[in-house]
Amino acid sequence: MGISLWQLLIVLVIVLLLFGTKRLKNIGGDLGGAIKGFKKAMNDDESKKEEPKPLEKPINQQATRVDEPANKTESQPPKDS
């Protein structure tokens, strides 16, 4: 019921006669490149899902506490000599 070896060889010979070896080689290369690109896109998509998103950096890089003044020289009383 399945395809025998002889039937497969006959089909391959007919395809070779229709397209020629150069065109068949180009079609095979294009098909291989398309499959490789598809696999790469699938792997990139999966790696993006697994990577945690980076935390956003605060706008002001200097961290200041609420109970401490930003400039310590302003909070000290002036010294009288």
Side-chain angles (χ1 to χ4, degrees):
M1 227 18 180
I3 297 176
S4 72
L5 181 63
W6 290 108
Q7 292 170 341
L8 187 63
L9 286 174
I10 292 171
V11 169
L12 288 176
V13 168
I14 292 172
V15 168
L16 256 170
L17 290 174
L18 288 175
F19 293 110
T21 56
K22 288 184 181 180
R23 193 166 183 194
L24 200 59
K25 183 179 176 182
N26 290 341
I27 291 171
D30 291 343
L31 184 62
I35 291 172
K36 186 184 287 186
F38 180 74
K39 285 182 180 180
K40 182 180 177 185
M42 292 299 290
N43 288 336
D44 288 345
D45 188 38
E46 288 177 5
S47 66
K48 285 181 183 178
K49 289 180 182 178
E50 293 174 0
E51 292 178 7
K53 293 182 181 178
L55 297 175
E56 293 182 15
K57 293 183 179 180
I59 295 172
N60 185 1
Q61 293 292 330
Q62 295 177 346
T64 57
R65 291 178 49 173
V66 176
D67 58 340
E68 290 183 11
N71 191 351
K72 292 184 180 182
T73 57
E74 292 177 5
S75 64
Q76 298 173 351
K79 293 183 181 180
D80 293 327
S81 10

